């Protein structure tokens, strides 16, 4: 079993910044790819925002490129999502995800961008 715990969400004004963290524990086999998903208000679907491969290569959806940065601390099994220049449309619950023989999701952390 793998456990994922997100933290760092909150309320921020447009243009502000937040850093999300996802701490992984349990049966982690080496470095695995990790992703951040967002579930927008009133939507059931979770959409990929950013991901980082086991080799450390990042990828982003177009709407967050240049504003968000994903990184990882392999020694601590933590993945970060630095979010800058936040916009109201970034609002949602952010989930950490990984696949290791099965899907693993964290419990989510709420990000609200509003003035």
């Amino acid at each position: 079993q793998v456990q994922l715990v997100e933290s760092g969400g909150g309320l921020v004004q447009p243009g502000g910044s937040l850093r999300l963290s996802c701490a992984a524990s349990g049966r982690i086999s080496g470095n695995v790819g990790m992703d951040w998903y967002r579930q927008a208000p009133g939507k059931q679907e979770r959409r990929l925002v950013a991901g980082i491969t086991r080799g450390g290569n990042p990828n982003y959806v177009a709407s967050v490129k240049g504003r968000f940065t994903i990184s990882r601390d392999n020694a601590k099994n933590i993945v970060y999502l630095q979010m800058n220049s936040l916009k109201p449309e970034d609002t949602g619950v952010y989930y950490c995800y990984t696949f290791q023989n099965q899907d693993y999701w964290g419990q989510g952390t709420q990000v609200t961008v509003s003035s």
Side-chain angles (χ1 to χ4, degrees):
Q1 290 290 324
V2 173
Q3 294 80 42
L4 302 175
V5 179
E6 302 97 332
S7 60
L11 172 64
V12 64
Q13 292 187 340
S17 298
L18 284 174
R19 188 176 82 156
L20 306 184
S21 299
C22 172
S25 62
R27 293 183 172 269
I28 303 282
S29 44
N31 296 335
V32 295
M34 302 283 285
D35 299 323
W36 284 99
Y37 282 75
R38 176 175 63 226
Q39 185 172 4
K43 305 287 186 181
Q44 286 194 324
E45 181 185 12
R46 298 177 184 180
R47 292 198 166 189
L48 180 66
V49 174
I52 189 163
T53 68
R54 58 186 302 168
N57 294 314
N59 56 86
Y60 306 95
V61 295
S63 60
V64 307
K65 276 184 181 177
R67 300 189 298 120
F68 290 11
T69 302
I70 188 170
S71 61
R72 64 192 303 161
D73 183 332
N74 291 330
K76 297 180 180 179
N77 282 330
I78 297 177
V79 174
Y80 302 99
L81 186 67
Q82 177 67 44
M83 306 188 295
N84 299 328
S85 303
L86 282 161
K87 303 176 180 181
E89 52 263 43
D90 296 319
T91 294
V93 180
Y94 283 71
Y95 295 91
C96 186
Y97 166 85
T98 191
F99 178 84
Q100 188 168 289
N101 299 317
Q102 66 181 71
D103 296 329
Y104 290 99
W105 294 92
Q107 83 287 352
T109 185
Q110 176 71 46
V111 171
T112 303
V113 185
S114 175
S115 55

